[in-house]
Amino acid sequence: MDLAYTEEEREFRARLREWLGGVLPGLPPKPRPDDWPGRRAYDTAWQRMLHDAGYAGLHWPVDAGGRGATPTQHLIFLEETEKAGAPYVGANFVGLLHAGPTIAAEGTAEQRARWLPPVLRGDEIWCQGFSEPDAGSDLAALRTRAVRDGDHYVVSGSKIWTSHAEVADWCELLVRTDPAAPKHRGITWLAMEMDAPGVTVRPLRTLAGSTEFAEMFLDEVRVPLSHRVGAENDGWRVTMVTLSFERGTAFVGEVVACRRTLDELAAEARRSGRWDDPVLRRRLGRLNAEFRALWRLTQWNVSEAQRAGGGGVPGTGGSVFKLRYSHARQELYEAAAEVLGADSADLDREWVLDRLSSLSYTIAAGTSQIQRNIVAERMLGLPKGR
Amino acid sequence: MDFQLSDDQRALRAGVRELLAGRFGRDRMRAALDDGTGVDRALWRELGEAGFFALRLPEAEGGVGLGLPESVLLFEEVGRSLLPGPLIATHLAAGPVKGAAQGGTVVAVLDPGQPVAHLGEADALLVLGPGYGPRASAASVDVTRVRGDATPVRSIDPFTPLWRAGDPEETGERLPGGGRLRDEGALLTAAEQLGSAARTTEMAVQHAGEREQFGSPIGSFQAVKHLCAGMLVRAELARCAVYAAAVTADPVEIAGAKLLADDAAVRNARDCLQVHGGMGFTWEADVHLHLKRAWLRSGQWLTAAAAEEVLAGDLC
Ligand SMILES: Cc1cc2nc3c(=O)[nH]c(=O)nc-3n(C[C@H](O)[C@H](O)[C@H](O)COP(=O)(O)OP(=O)(O)OC[C@H]3O[C@@H](n4cnc5c(N)ncnc54)[C@H](O)[C@@H]3O)c2cc1C
């Protein structure tokens, strides 16, 4: 049990801090949440800066264009960028955290050369076309069809809840290539260009009022066979690689941010006098324990990955983290509403929009119920239900 | 950073588990319950010989020379096994109190306002001063005088006899390093809670895999499955909190660990009871022993209310 960082890790942190201190003051102001072209430009410009400074794809393998950093260095990177108030991965999320790592793990040399460098440079944005109207938690029930026609697949169907679809260049798409096979066996993973003829995107408004995600209609979209990653009908296995990446590392920076928010809530409560209420004070104290422990759990999981030889696919430990974190985040913003009192009804007050968006955390990337199934069946070995 | 158990730590844990399974396995544990044995002095001396109490004393003073993380692993195993007695107080008193390191002197602890566990069997008594963290203090007082004025309580936990004692009049002999007593006691208690929480998770999962209703193992029903998943999540989060607090020895982090471990032990025991159905409500099942001990430990060294205030005070 060692929480001390090595000399090398401390140097890495110091260099990163210095670089952040130099570049962050020069960033333009953040775009409004609904200004999607502005958000894309802001997020990709940041990615380009990371790239030019040698921080893009830090934890990706070197032969995929990454830096081959250890899981601990990646953790330090996420911690420091968040602490310094650097931009969040934003619109680069799918490219850097799902599609990219999947292509790095499963793609051919040609596919890696085509798709990975633009992700790392911030030139191209990806979205994730997995969920369908009738295939959410039961993702393997997806029905979007892909039929071979010469050296192309012809794809028809519809996707839903596709985040960043409005501004994406590419979509990692799951399609059904063998309707006769058992549902997990007839799925294929494709990279689809978002401006291909037949793709229609209709933004959906979230309960927070913004258009974070969209419906996507696919009408005989032609996708080259060469855009298939992995074998035909092997897409489920390829997908599981992607999903474990999503649950493994996606929220590290957010835990750091939540701890800062908690400090700010305490400061606000002290200023307004609500701190004198022991019920509120103790509630914030308990959240302090919660987020400190979530940070330690992150270090535990990262150390485990590091021992397993780094670069590996994150294990089911990510489900334990996601279950607890998504709940804790919602509790944090409930406490924020108590700190704000009557102002919690004012959308322009800090934390009010965050309270709304926190509601998606127990749903997106696998609902809490599905995570509990995973923990019970894969970690505890309980029998599958009928 | 390598926040995982080292090979030595794994070996230590396996060794303690084996020792306790051999000397305090289920049959012994139930026999001790039936004949009301609290402190088994022969076993204590054996533990003393194995270095249980002297674990953190320097080797030059006859100790093992290990640290808080190793103590935490030890008490996690105690929590699993339900071994009774004021083991933590005696472990903390090894060094200042003569004979504690060998397991020959049984040391209890008086936290003013709280019932005193195992006062009747104790050879020495520590008194905790008010406060938490570096400013706290502790003293050693005459156990026979305190016992003379104390009245026994019918304890909710059959393994833990309790006494109601007044505040000791004399302040006694101040302990060197006594300021760390309360937070280290809280940490090691959290470790016991962690061991209990992990054990009740295993018990629930085992029962859920074996017991059949409606023609299926009850563990295939999602309502049961989700209870078990929740238990694992609580235990694993508490584990990271307790282990990290052992490494940093930071009083605020210890308060967080105690809070989460208390929660994990009590709630996991309750869920384990639920998964056992009617069997869970019997004297014969071990679940109630875990729950009752977890309740008692929650009130010892650092309560939830006090821990939450410490943690709140840490926020800016
Ligand atoms: C903000 C946000 C962004 C998203 N972004 C994307 C994206 O970019 N790309 C993408 O492909 N998808 C995306 N999703 C979709 C997300 O993955 C799905 O919403 C999620 O998997 C749940 O599917 P569903 O909405 O169909 O709900 P359902 O599967 O219909 O679930 C409804 C309820 O039933 C419960 N339930 C379902 N099955 C079970 C079961 N077996 N056991 C117990 N309970 C069950 C669920 O837990 C839930 O409470 C996003 C969702 C959100 C909220």
Side-chain angles (χ1 to χ4, degrees), chain A residues 360-378:
Chain A
S360 73
Y361 277 70
T362 46
I363 298 167
T367 69
S368 293
Q369 287 70 34
I370 295 301
Q371 304 295 344
R372 284 189 197 101
N373 287 349
I374 291 173
V375 169
E377 287 165 13
R378 295 196 211 149

Side-chain angles (χ1 to χ4, degrees), chain A residues 155-167:
Chain A
V155 181
S156 293
S158 63
K159 295 287 173 179
I160 195 165
W161 322 125
T162 319
S163 303
H164 307 139
E166 284 175 80
V167 289

Side-chain angles (χ1 to χ4, degrees), chain A residues 14-37:
Chain A
R15 273 199 311 278
L16 174 60
R17 252 187 214 170
E18 194 184 51
W19 179 73
L20 287 167
V23 298
L24 291 180
L27 285 188
K30 280 202 172 108
R32 283 180 302 101
D34 253 339
D35 175 11
W36 275 102

Side-chain angles (χ1 to χ4, degrees), chain A residues 229-265:
Chain A
V229 170
E232 189 169 272
N233 298 326
D234 195 28
W236 185 255
R237 190 188 56 77
V238 175
T239 304
M240 286 302 111
V241 173
T242 318
L243 290 184
S244 57
F245 277 111
E246 181 173 9
R247 284 166 200 161
T249 48
F251 305 108
V252 172
E254 293 191 14
V255 174
V256 176
C258 285
R259 291 187 64 183
R260 190 178 50 226
T261 301
L262 194 55
D263 275 331
E264 289 165 2
L265 288 177

